[in-house]
Amino acid sequence: MTRPNDSTATVASPPDRPAPVSFREAFLFWLKLGFISFGGPAGQIAIMHAELVERRRWISERRFLHALNYCMLLPGPEAQQLATYIGWLMHRGWGGIVAGGLFVLPSLFILVALSWIYVAFGTLPAVAGVFYGIKPAVTALVLHAAHRIGRRVLRNGWLWSIAVAALVAILLDLPFPLIVLGAGIAGAIGARFAPQVFSPGAAHAAAQAGYGPALIDDDTPTPPHARFTRGRLARVLIVGLGLWLAAMGALIAVYGLDGAFTQMGLFFTKAALMTFGGAYAVLPYVVQGAVEHHHWATGPQMIDGLALGETTPGPLIMVVAFVGFLGGWKEQVFGPDALFAAGAAAAALVTCFTFLPSFVFVLAGGPVIEATHGDLRLTAPLTAITAAVVGVIVNLALFFASHVFWPQGLGGPFDATSALIAAGAAIALFRFKWGVIPLLSACGAIGLALALAMPAA
């Protein structure tokens, strides 16, 4: 039997650079990621970092963070855009489409099934009891999201003022896009006259521990397909805009401009362009449009949809699939005998319109935005918008609380049990740092236990 010599036994040789990754291998990884991407953006980004940077070494720490910083500048779900970006960097345009698409598709199928169960069986006492316990927990989650974003963004009094102004504006029923526009203008002006107010905080710190050479390493040249050319930019924009126009034209031709599917396409395209600051930022806009204007869902149903989105893999913005399913079912687009088909088609439709801009932003804008990354003229308006988003999310928490604590309206009785569940959920989040899945599971179990105890009471 041979023994290793002293040097090999005590000194580990540096790992070799990984072999090139085939499109099939990448496809299987992105498919797996679509089924395990729980935990919201932070959890999804952590999973990608562990898999792509630490374990597989497909991309280096610095290149990963560079891509992440770029995606955080864009409207849309940053985790899905990061997957799209890395897939594009590795395997050109189709690599980005596969990576970003598989990040979303498993969640779509799961949410369509859960939405059908919710609509078909949601009135059963056991199911209703579970959602009774989950609703207060969702209220606490939204408030926690406002705290988490605000702690990172509201670094001075001026940014606090923007957040408070946004809260007042949305309470006065000003349109969400107008609030975003006003905050962006404030940031653009601030970058010129008070740059210190909007200067970015501490940047991502690169990990000190090396993971070994990566396939796309710090010194790996940008591949030819990822370099900026006017022709490539024009082609991506033409294809992206052409797909949108073709889909919208077909919907108008079949259903008319006022048809439910057409209105969903238009509305969720606008929603996709409003997602600065993550999914919680666009939820107030979705509530305004889907609940108050189009009446595709009710306030309590939006809370239930957010709970389903929190407990399934994929981006949290996939709650739009739940809203689409309810809207298609309610509008009976295919007639009263095909409610599931209408709901599933609507869920798929709104998912396509919500995520199409994200693909266009990454595939077309990546080389352009990267060249100006760190420019205060670009980042200051986004900082101001994110500050405004904090105020808007606080309003969303108030909206949910009003529906949960006063289920019959503000003039009706106060639901003390829901308030106690919400308080317990808030303590679990803020004090004990519970994760989303354990929190919703515990609160759902409490609601189920209360429902089962009711007949004996």
Side-chain angles (χ1 to χ4, degrees), residues 18-97:
V21 178
S22 68
F23 189 89
R24 178 180 180 276
E25 184 180 355
F27 178 94
L28 293 176
F29 169 76
W30 297 121
L31 178 62
K32 170 190 170 184
L33 182 65
F35 283 100
I36 66 172
S37 55
F38 292 92
Q44 292 155 1
I45 291 168
I47 291 171
M48 279 191 279
H49 185 275
E51 287 284 340
L52 298 177
V53 177
E54 301 177 28
R55 180 168 171 262
R56 301 171 187 264
R57 291 185 286 123
W58 287 359
I59 188 169
S60 70
E61 173 92 5
R62 186 174 298 174
R63 296 291 287 269
F64 181 90
L65 293 178
H66 182 69
L68 175 59
N69 286 334
Y70 161 50
C71 294
M72 291 181 72
L73 292 175
L74 300 173
E78 61 264 31
Q80 185 265 349
Q81 290 172 333
L82 178 61
T84 304
Y85 186 100
I86 296 174
W88 162 68
L89 203 58
M90 294 178 63
H91 292 110
R92 307 175 65 91
W94 280 112
I97 292 170

Side-chain angles (χ1 to χ4, degrees), residues 320-334:
V320 301
F322 174 80
V323 176
F325 188 95
L326 293 186
W329 183 290
K330 181 179 179 181
E331 298 289 341
Q332 301 184 10
V333 181
F334 298 153

Side-chain angles (χ1 to χ4, degrees), residues 109-136:
F109 292 132
I110 293 170
L111 273 174
V112 166
L114 292 176
S115 299
W116 174 74
I117 293 172
Y118 175 85
V119 174
F121 304 105
T123 57
L124 294 178
V127 178
V130 171
F131 281 103
Y132 176 82
I134 285 177
K135 284 185 176 73

Side-chain angles (χ1 to χ4, degrees), residues 283-325:
L283 282 174
Y285 179 65
V286 174
V287 168
Q288 272 190 340
V291 176
E292 300 173 9
H293 180 65
H294 294 289
H295 307 293
W296 294 323
T298 65
Q301 286 175 333
M302 282 298 304
I303 304 173
D304 295 337
L306 183 56
L308 292 178
E310 288 276 18
T311 53
T312 53
L316 182 57
I317 192 60
M318 282 302 296
V319 69
V320 301
F322 174 80
V323 176
F325 188 95

Side-chain angles (χ1 to χ4, degrees), residues 170-224:
I170 197 107
L171 286 173
L172 295 175
D173 287 331
L174 266 68
F176 183 67
L178 185 61
I179 296 172
V180 170
L181 177 62
I185 293 173
I189 295 172
R192 180 176 179 85
F193 296 103
Q196 72 282 358
V197 172
F198 298 94
S199 60
H204 294 284
Q208 297 301 314
Y211 303 110
L215 185 62
I216 303 175
D217 218 331
D218 294 349
D219 56 356
T220 303
T222 301

